[in-house]
Every structure is written in structure tokens, then in C-alpha cells.
Amino acid sequence: MSNSNGWSLTARLISKHFGALGDRVSEAIASFDPETATEADRDRLADTLRSAAQKLAQARAAFNKERDDVVRLRKLIATDEQATTTLAERLAAGQISEATINLFCDELEANKTRLPQEIQEEADAQAYMDELQKIVDALSQQLADFDAAAKKAMQALAQAKAQRDLQEVRAERQSQLASLSGMRGNTSALNALTKRAQSIANEAEGMKIVSDIGQRPYDQAAEIEAIRKSVTNPVNGNESALERLQRLSNKAPATA
């Protein structure tokens, strides 16, 4: 859109009929950028659109009135033109005065003279209404563009937030996995328990060795005493008669 050319007539028409509104509309159309506008800019544009829409409604009503005036005047002229033949006959027959005929002709001539002006006023009203319609359409499109850009920005913001939340969750999970992996690979509490158990086992084994060493002389002394007893006390030396009979009976072969 060329603001200097496309809207020059619009600005002149608006300024001529509604003063400051023309400057507001022209400025809004020229400076509004949906990609960089703020919510306050949108509010001002929406307010300008409402004002322009009200003027458009008034322009439509004014155009309809001008159009109706032209239609009515043309119809009146056409009717009066048809009546001229009848009036001429009545004038010739003396049924109507010349003064009345002159008055009729004055009105017909005035209406025909006024018709071009009425047609021009109708055309001006239509041109003004059409320019206002263009302005309203342009402002409406700019608002739609702003809303579309805002929606796109909100979607991008929501997507960015979702990505941020996803990365935060991933980072938290990675931290938990790293912590668990550290516990699995090098758990200080488990290592301490394992080392403690091994230390106690080693200590117990050492105590057993020491105990075995200390017990050895006693075992050796008992063994020596048993040897001495076997030498001094033969197996059958102190055997009683009853014990001898029992021994012999156990060794004796079974009888039929």
C-alpha cells in the first residue's frame, strides 16, 4: 500500500469533514506494524476503527439520502416533462392561466438546473463512503494481522516454555541418574560395610590362628599322656574275667 498515494484522497476527505479524525486514521494506517505493535497500539487502532466505523455509518446514511434525493428529483422532472403536453393543451383551451404555467415552468427549470448538483452531491457522498469503507477494511485487516501476530507470538512463547520445562525435567532426570550411577559404582556406605566385614573376618581368622597356636601344647601334652598310659597299661592287662568273656564272646563265631 502506498500511504502517500493510496490514502491521499481519504485523508483529504476525512480532514475536510471530520477534522482530527483524518490525521488519526492516516497516522494509524501509516505507522501501525502488527509485528512490533504493543497491546496499547492495538487499543488505539481499535478505537480509531470504532470512530471510523461510526463515520462510515453516518456516510452511508448521508449517501442514501443523497441518492434518494436524486431519484426523487429525477422522478419529479420526468413527471413534469410528461405534464407539459397536457398543460399546453389546457392553456390553449383557456383552462389554466399563463401565470400558473410560468410558475410550473420555473419549477421545472429550477429542478433541471439543480439535478446536476444533486447528482454531484450523490457522487461525492458515495466517494466519501467508499473511502471510509476502505479505511475500515484496512483497519480491520491491521487488527486481524495484529491478532494473528500476537497469536503466533503466544504460540511461540508457549512452545519456548514447554521446551524449557522439558529441558528442566531432562536435567533433573540426568542428575538423578548420575547420582544413582555414583551410588552404584562407588557407594561409600556399602564400601564401608564391606571393608568392615573384611576387617572383622581378618581379625577373626587371626584370633583363630593365635588360638590354634596356643592350643597346640595342650593337645601335644594330652597326646603324650595317652602314649604313656598305653605303655604302662596294656590293653588286656587289667581286664576282668567278665570283660574278657564279653570280649571273647563278641569275637567268637556264631554257633548253630
Side-chain angles (χ1 to χ4, degrees):
M1 178 193 308
S2 175
N3 292 323
S4 60
N5 295 326
W7 297 103
S8 58
L9 176 59
T10 298
R12 289 197 300 271
L13 287 172
I14 295 288
S15 298
K16 175 182 177 181
H17 292 278
F18 301 103
L21 177 60
D23 296 334
R24 290 176 56 196
V25 171
S26 299
E27 181 181 355
I29 292 177
S31 64
F32 188 80
D33 180 9
E35 295 295 334
T36 60
T38 65
E39 190 66 27
D41 295 327
R42 186 196 184 281
D43 291 342
R44 285 193 293 271
L45 188 66
D47 181 63
T48 303
L49 174 59
R50 284 190 293 269
S51 298
Q54 291 175 358
K55 301 307 179 185
L56 175 59
Q58 295 173 1
R60 286 175 177 172
F63 167 72
N64 290 335
K65 179 181 180 301
E66 295 294 342
R67 183 181 57 186
D68 291 343
D69 288 346
V70 170
V71 170
R72 185 166 49 252
L73 184 58
R74 279 178 170 168
K75 183 177 181 180
L76 178 60
I77 291 173
T79 300
D80 288 350
E81 286 177 342
Q82 292 177 355
T84 55
T85 302
T86 302
L87 291 175
E89 293 175 353
R90 292 179 64 184
L91 178 63
Q95 297 175 351
I96 191 171
S97 67
E98 290 187 0
T100 302
I101 294 297
N102 287 330
L103 180 59
F104 174 83
C105 290
D106 290 342
E107 290 183 359
L108 179 57
E109 288 177 349
N111 289 337
K112 286 186 175 183
T113 302
R114 187 161 58 92
L115 180 60
Q117 180 180 352
E118 292 291 338
I119 293 175
Q120 185 60 51
E121 290 177 358
E122 177 192 12
D124 289 345
Q126 182 173 7
Y128 175 66
M129 178 185 67
D130 291 344
E131 291 298 325
L132 276 175
Q133 184 65 61
K134 292 178 183 179
I135 290 175
V136 170
D137 292 343
L139 295 177
S140 299
Q141 183 60 49
Q142 287 184 324
L143 277 178
D145 292 343
F146 175 88
D147 291 339
K151 181 179 180 180
K152 183 178 179 181
M154 291 299 293
Q155 290 174 342
L157 178 60
Q159 184 176 5
K161 287 182 178 180
Q163 284 293 328
R164 181 195 62 188
D165 295 342
L166 175 61
Q167 295 304 322
E168 288 179 352
V169 171
R170 291 183 64 188
E172 182 179 357
R173 289 175 178 173
Q174 289 174 354
S175 176
Q176 292 176 353
L177 289 174
S179 176
L180 292 174
S181 296
M183 291 181 63
R184 179 184 62 186
N186 187 21
T187 304
S188 58
L190 181 58
N191 288 342
L193 288 175
T194 302
K195 290 179 180 180
R196 178 61 176 165
Q198 185 62 47
S199 176
I200 292 175
N202 293 339
E203 183 178 353
E205 182 64 22
M207 293 176 64
K208 181 177 181 298
I209 293 173
V210 172
S211 177
D212 289 345
I213 294 173
Q215 183 64 29
R216 191 175 301 166
Y218 296 102
D219 292 341
Q220 290 174 344
E223 185 178 359
I224 292 172
E225 183 64 25
I227 292 172
R228 287 174 178 168
K229 287 182 179 181
S230 66
V231 173
T232 57
N233 296 315
V235 176
N236 299 325
N238 294 327
E239 187 178 16
S240 66
L242 179 58
E243 291 174 346
R244 188 178 182 187
L245 286 174
Q246 290 177 343
R247 178 174 55 80
L248 291 174
S249 66
N250 289 333
K251 293 182 178 181
T255 60

